[in-house]
Amino acid sequence: MATRSLLRTRGKLAVAATALLTGGAAATVATSEDPATALKLCTAVPVRLYRDTVTAASIAFDYEYSLWGLMEGSVERAKVKHEVHLRSARKLQELCFKNGGIYIKLGQHLGQLEYLVPEEYVQTMRESMLNKCPVSSYDQVCEVFKKELGETPDKIFEEFDPVPIASASLAQVHVARTHDGQKVAVKVQHTHMTDTATADRATVEVIVNTLHSVFPSFDYRWLIDEIRESLPKELDFLVEAKNSEKCLENFRKLSPHIAGYVYAPKVHWNLSTSKLLTMEFMDGAHVNDVKTIQKLGIQPNEVATLVSQAFAEMMFRHGFVHCDPHAANLIVRPLPSGKRTILGKRKPQLVLLDHGLYKELDFTTRFNYAALWKALIFSDANGIKENSVRLGAGEDLYALFAAILTMKPWNRIIDPSVDHLVIKGDDMERSERQMYASQFFPQISELLRRLPRVILLMLKTNDCLRSVNSCLLQGSSLETFFIIGKVSSEAVIEAKKLQRKSLLSRLDVLLEEILLEVRLLGMQIALWLLHLRRALTG
């Protein structure tokens, strides 16, 4: 009886959702001014919506049926729920691969949301979404070349490998050699992206709006606005090329002390268009490939330190931030100058790839975000609340905002211990995070609705960097938080110097700067003592 009831519920859900979603898609398509685009949407949207609906209904039924009658908190329920999580994650994975494009990007993002979704989803998406993306055929690649540059790759380049070395959600990369002998990487946009991007945007919009109308607490309409704004920029490779050059220019001008340690491939502008990007070829190891990094004579902790410093500079000083720093977009190589550490190890250089998704933080947002991280590092409860409220979290959810940023409960966030934010990366911590994610899901959804979209992208960046640190260090390190504390604090002081005009106010800032140096020195000494203790205890 129960099974039949659940099957009827599933059937009604599928039929109702399909009708509603298809109707919404039709409304979206009807507004299109381009008849050809409208026709393509009419064929692509229903297919995608059907897949979405079937997958959603299948997952919902699996949870309802599998957990039926199992006591909350029991060992058996926990075991079954784990199995359902795995099955459901694989269904979502399959959906992302079938639909491609934006769905793969959403799957990649899902793989970073440890504070929101079960561990099984996080692991499944992380393992597959970065290196198993669909590949365009060589004929399709030639089609793009003819349209963009008027010739096939074999005419434009001296050599061109038809087999891509990497494929991502929006494009794939081929190795080539120019007629003057330079080895290059050629990024070619998937031929279907122009059409499916519009269809994907329409389906995601309809799905999110439908879910919100059925479940008001599920309000992810901000995702629609973000896709609508960021996707056209990511699909224009000339924007990406300009972003890469602006990023390096910011390091040269605003962070000259580490400019030599951060690099982006040079662009061959004469061989680049909005759908083709030809860049200098980069050799090195992906940032999560610890074994290869060590074979290059580089220490993983040096890489973690460099990654943290580079992105802290971008967030707190430049206000121009690479918002997609997952492992596939970060390469490590030995510093070309050959400089070595005190221990004789080679110094790393961080190579940033895929500059399609950047966000600019205005002065006020950058100042408040830096001040918030300063308060987090130094366990300043009042500063955390004040700056979280300024950024939009509200007086009721500021503690949750701090917890999402640090992946720590409030009592640890305000703990004065120097290592209070260090993530161990063990099973107990992961279990605790999952418990909080489940317990506070409605509040997390509300917080994500409130925060400005630029801060949501900072959260995504933060999630990616945490994942990178986890690979390099099996958690996080005190050095990472020392760097974040130092750069954010210095950025706050620099901002205050620009704002204060009177002699008295400048003296206040000078005193604050002196006190900051004392606190940072204390933190540095604590860091040295911690290293010494570890060395002595083996």
Side-chain angles (χ1 to χ4, degrees), residues 28 39 119 141 151 154 174 179 207 209 236 277 291 477 485:
T28 304
L39 181 61
E119 179 74 12
V141 169
E151 293 285 357
D154 58 299
H174 294 259
H179 289 290
I207 290 165
N209 284 329
D236 186 346
L277 181 58
K291 288 183 179 179
S477 71

Side-chain angles (χ1 to χ4, degrees), residues 168-328:
S169 54
L170 307 182
Q172 61 192 45
V173 178
H174 294 259
V175 178
R177 194 172 296 278
T178 61
H179 289 290
D180 61 358
Q182 295 183 64
K183 189 177 182 181
V184 293
V186 186
K187 184 174 179 178
V188 185
Q189 193 170 118
H190 294 309
T191 53
H192 62 267
M193 279 310 304
T194 303
D195 301 329
T196 61
T198 309
D200 290 346
R201 197 168 62 208
T203 56
V204 171
E205 183 170 347
V206 172
I207 290 165
V208 170
N209 284 329
T210 302
L211 284 170
H212 177 63
S213 66
V214 178
F215 308 106
S217 62
F218 185 95
D219 192 357
Y220 283 72
R221 288 174 293 177
W222 54 265
L223 185 62
I224 300 168
D225 296 329
E226 184 52 45
I227 291 174
R228 189 181 292 127
E229 179 185 320
S230 64
L231 189 62
K233 295 177 183 177
E234 289 192 76
L235 290 174
D236 186 346
F237 291 170
L238 293 179
V239 170
E240 177 178 342
K242 290 172 185 173
N243 285 345
S244 70
E245 293 193 341
K246 182 176 178 179
C247 173
L248 288 190
E249 184 65 16
N250 283 341
F251 275 101
R252 283 191 289 267
K253 287 183 176 179
L254 303 173
S255 308
H257 54 295
I258 68 160
Y261 293 88
V262 181
Y263 192 75
K266 291 176 183 175
V267 176
H268 291 249
W269 288 96
N270 61 320
L271 296 173
S272 298
T273 71
S274 63
K275 291 179 173 58
L276 281 173
L277 181 58
T278 304
M279 306 159 284
E280 171 187 10
F281 183 86
M282 306 305 303
D283 273 315
H286 283 297
V287 76
N288 62 343
D289 188 353
V290 176
K291 288 183 179 179
T292 304
I293 289 172
Q294 290 172 329
K295 285 178 182 177
L296 291 172
I298 298 170
Q299 292 179 305
N301 65 301
E302 287 275 334
V303 177
T305 298
L306 178 56
V307 170
S308 297
Q309 186 162 11
F311 279 87
E313 296 285 339
M314 280 191 262
M315 288 187 282
F316 306 134
R317 277 206 172 97
H318 307 174
F320 186 65
V321 187
H322 186 309
C323 289
D324 202 14
H326 57 69

Side-chain angles (χ1 to χ4, degrees), residues 116 212 216-222 392-394 396-397 400 404 440-452 456:
L116 193 60
H212 177 63
S217 62
F218 185 95
D219 192 357
Y220 283 72
R221 288 174 293 177
W222 54 265
D396 55 334
L397 294 179
L400 181 62
I404 288 175
F440 294 105
F441 182 82
Q443 291 90 338
I444 293 172
S445 297
E446 171 58 19
L447 176 64
L448 296 179
R449 186 193 66 79
R450 287 184 192 178
L451 292 171
L456 294 176

Side-chain angles (χ1 to χ4, degrees), residues 111-122:
Q112 311 298 335
L113 298 180
E114 293 178 276
Y115 58 82
L116 193 60
V117 298
E119 179 74 12
E120 293 84 355
Y121 287 84
V122 171

Side-chain angles (χ1 to χ4, degrees), residues 137-149:
S137 68
Y138 182 63
D139 287 342
Q140 291 172 319
V141 169
C142 290
E143 184 184 327
V144 175
F145 266 88
K146 286 177 186 175
K147 187 174 181 181
E148 296 298 310
L149 296 176

Side-chain angles (χ1 to χ4, degrees), residues 79-117:
K79 180 185 176 184
V80 172
K81 184 184 279 190
H82 167 70
E83 293 168 353
V84 178
H85 282 337
L86 275 177
R87 285 197 298 271
S88 300
R90 287 169 187 147
K91 288 172 186 174
L92 273 183
Q93 177 193 62
E94 185 180 355
L95 175 69
C96 290
F97 283 143
K98 280 184 177 178
N99 282 352
I102 292 176
Y103 284 83
I104 290 176
K105 292 195 77 67
L106 292 174
Q108 290 172 349
H109 186 41
L110 194 65
Q112 311 298 335
L113 298 180
E114 293 178 276
Y115 58 82
L116 193 60
V117 298

